[in-house]
Amino acid sequence: MSLILAVNAGSSSLKISLYKWTLEDSTPCLLLTSTISSISSPPAKVTFKHAGLSTGQAPASDPPEPSIRDHESAFSYFLDRLKEDGASIDRQQIKHVCHRVVHGGDYTEPTVISEQSFHHIETLSDLAPLHNGAALSVIAACLKVLPHAVSIAFFDTAFHKDLPPHVSTYAIDQKIARERGLRKYGFHGLSCKYIHHERQRSELNIIALHLGSGASACAIRGGKSINTSMGLTPLSGLPGATRSGDIDPSLIFHYTSDPLSRLSYNAAANKEIHVTRAEEILNSQAGWKALAGTTNFGEIVEKADLSTPPSTVDGNSHTLAFHIMLDRVLHYVGAYHLALRGQVDALVFAGGIGERSGDLRSAVGEAVSHLDYSAIDENVNQTLESYEGTVVDIGKDASARRILVCRTDEQFEMARECSLTEVFWR
């Protein structure tokens, strides 16, 4: 028996799942999961959940942990907690550690961590500033404390490697674009791959909505990504907790300049805006946080007046934030419905918001009913946590285009691929 550790480093969180696997097993078997959150705003919160607990059963929570200061100390805490857990886990049995890395650049397959691949991921950190750095710190810690284990990077960008040229290419000088690798890469690939696998039919066409603090849409035809909302970086596409999503590229210059008047600024006195400053504003100081003063979409829904038509939103920033998110989601759903030429089998919600916000699903469902998607069964939609299983159908009509919620699991997707890749076991 071997143990596979799957590690998913977020900007301020660390999700870890531990699996056992033997050659006789068809898929890895989950032993436990742990989530460490609020790493960047201590004290960190820690939960442990052993396999076998039902969907609605809460995991055990540790007291707030002041010793966790960064992702490296969070990973060390997990290993120490594992030793104390009484589950008879021998860390020497951990043979493989799978690391989710958001931006892989030209790496299109899972890659064993070496000095070369570590440096490659390091060079891409500016393109995924909220995630790649965190992943690298955990990888470095893992190489130090689990030197016997094989560390493997799994890239979110890899799922989108087959994007058609007319989709991945930006309308800029192609010589410069090729020299600098400037194209659409796409993200949330592990989640998209998991969603496709869970439907268990390779020929399905799906519009996947991974909605969380980072949010994206993806059109999947027969298991391959044909378009996705994120681009060169995770910044483009849908707005997120602190990301702006799509904006007019020239907005940043107006935003940071001294105005002469509304919509006008003094070009002669224009401040020099550096790339890092622009990225900080659009990655960390925008999104729902800028609109409504919170990164919690649940709070936005709770305080929004959803009975107000979008055209008459006035004064309630939470209502405005909700309708902005809804508008951008519908923009991509409509575009991808056409990209798939109307041959769509299911619209799938995933991610923290996709799985938890019944109100957003309802609003999207009402709009897409005009494209022959099933009406949403609100009895199921509003009580989703009481339903077991990875995929829950929230539609009323099984003969129409389906509307599904998938409890996506990027850690399991990595462990599954690790177990199936022979070269990792030589």
Side-chain angles (χ1 to χ4, degrees), residues 208-226:
L209 297 174
H210 182 105
L211 309 178
S213 294
S216 71
C218 182
I220 303 171
R221 177 187 287 137
K224 290 188 175 183
S225 170
I226 66 164

Side-chain angles (χ1 to χ4, degrees), residues 317-337:
S317 61
H318 299 87
T319 307
L320 177 62
F322 179 89
H323 283 299
I324 286 175
M325 187 63 175
L326 174 61
D327 173 78
R328 305 316 191 256
V329 167
L330 293 180
H331 169 84
Y332 282 103
V333 171
Y336 293 164
H337 187 90

Side-chain angles (χ1 to χ4, degrees), residues 119 121 137 270 274 286 291 357 377 379:
H119 176 68
I121 298 167
S137 67
N270 191 22
H274 294 281
L291 289 167
S357 182
D377 184 337
N379 289 328

Side-chain angles (χ1 to χ4, degrees), residues 304-356:
D305 180 2
L306 301 185
S307 63
T308 303
S311 58
T312 60
V313 170
D314 184 27
N316 187 327
S317 61
H318 299 87
T319 307
L320 177 62
F322 179 89
H323 283 299
I324 286 175
M325 187 63 175
L326 174 61
D327 173 78
R328 305 316 191 256
V329 167
L330 293 180
H331 169 84
Y332 282 103
V333 171
Y336 293 164
H337 187 90
L338 292 177
L340 290 164
R341 300 300 187 265
Q343 302 300 308
V344 183
D345 296 292
L347 175 64
V348 184
F349 291 90
I353 295 169
E355 294 172 32
R356 297 189 189 102

Side-chain angles (χ1 to χ4, degrees), residues 39-370:
I39 294 174
S40 61
S41 52
K45 302 177 183 68
V46 182
T47 64
F48 261 70
K49 183 176 181 179
H50 287 268
L53 295 180
S54 64
T55 301
Q57 202 168 344
S61 296
D62 288 8
E65 182 49 56
S67 68
I68 297 175
R69 306 169 306 281
D70 49 31
H71 286 78
E72 182 177 355
S73 55
F75 185 68
S76 297
Y77 178 89
F78 168 80
L79 291 177
D80 292 340
R81 177 72 166 73
L82 200 62
K83 190 164 46 178
E84 301 166 1
D85 193 56
S88 302
I89 303 297
D90 180 2
R91 69 167 64 180
Q92 293 301 313
Q93 289 184 300
I94 300 174
K95 303 299 184 185
H96 296 80
V97 185
C98 307
H99 300 270
R100 178 193 172 211
V101 177
V102 167
H103 210 310
D106 295 327
Y107 282 17
T108 58
E109 300 293 340
T111 302
V112 173
I113 296 295
S114 62
E115 185 176 342
Q116 179 183 0
S117 58
F118 187 93
H119 176 68
H120 175 77
I121 298 167
E122 205 169 26
T123 63
L124 295 168
S125 291
D126 286 345
L127 297 178
L130 301 184
H131 291 88
N132 267 32
L136 282 167
S137 67
V138 176
I139 291 171
C142 183
L143 294 174
K144 188 190 305 180
V145 298
L146 297 174
H148 62 281
V150 178
S151 277
I152 308 160
F154 290 78
F155 304 104
D156 261 331
T157 46
F159 182 73
H160 308 288
K161 64 183 178 182
D162 296 314
L163 285 175
H166 71 279
V167 170
S168 63
T169 302
Y170 292 118
I172 57 175
D173 185 308
Q174 287 306 290
K175 182 175 183 295
I176 294 174
R178 284 190 295 271
E179 287 173 352
R180 302 185 184 183
L182 304 178
R183 61 176 175 85
K184 176 180 280 196
Y185 287 91
F187 301 92
H188 289 138
L190 288 167
S191 178
C192 290
K193 197 169 186 179
Y194 180 86
I195 290 167
H196 175 72
H197 277 151
E198 289 305 303
R199 297 313 299 140
Q200 299 179 343
R201 283 173 51 197
S202 60
E203 72 278 8
L204 283 179
N205 296 338
I206 292 170
I207 298 174
L209 297 174
H210 182 105
L211 309 178
S213 294
S216 71
C218 182
I220 303 171
R221 177 187 287 137
K224 290 188 175 183
S225 170
I226 66 164
N227 209 335
T228 186
S229 57
M230 288 178 168
L232 171 69
T233 75
L235 182 57
S236 64
L238 298 171
T242 62
R243 291 184 184 127
S244 66
D246 286 340
I247 61 166
D248 183 324
S250 66
L251 179 145
I252 192 65
F253 302 110
H254 294 266
Y255 189 92
T256 56
S257 299
D258 294 326
L260 285 175
S261 61
R262 192 170 183 271
L263 295 180
S264 176
Y265 67 94
N266 185 355
N270 191 22
K271 296 177 183 176
E272 186 174 307
I273 176 71
H274 294 281
V275 172
T276 50
R277 175 60 180 148
E279 287 183 333
E280 181 187 3
I281 292 169
L282 299 177
N283 267 307
S284 305
Q285 299 174 16
W288 321 317
K289 181 181 179 181
L291 289 167
T294 179
T295 58
N296 185 341
F297 196 79
E299 181 182 337
I300 287 172
V301 174
E302 184 180 334
K303 294 182 177 179
D305 180 2
L306 301 185
S307 63
T308 303
S311 58
T312 60
V313 170
D314 184 27
N316 187 327
S317 61
H318 299 87
T319 307
L320 177 62
F322 179 89
H323 283 299
I324 286 175
M325 187 63 175
L326 174 61
D327 173 78
R328 305 316 191 256
V329 167
L330 293 180
H331 169 84
Y332 282 103
V333 171
Y336 293 164
H337 187 90
L338 292 177
L340 290 164
R341 300 300 187 265
Q343 302 300 308
V344 183
D345 296 292
L347 175 64
V348 184
F349 291 90
I353 295 169
E355 294 172 32
R356 297 189 189 102
S357 182
D359 292 299
L360 183 61
R361 292 193 301 263
S362 294
V364 173
E366 188 280 326
V368 301
S369 65
H370 301 285

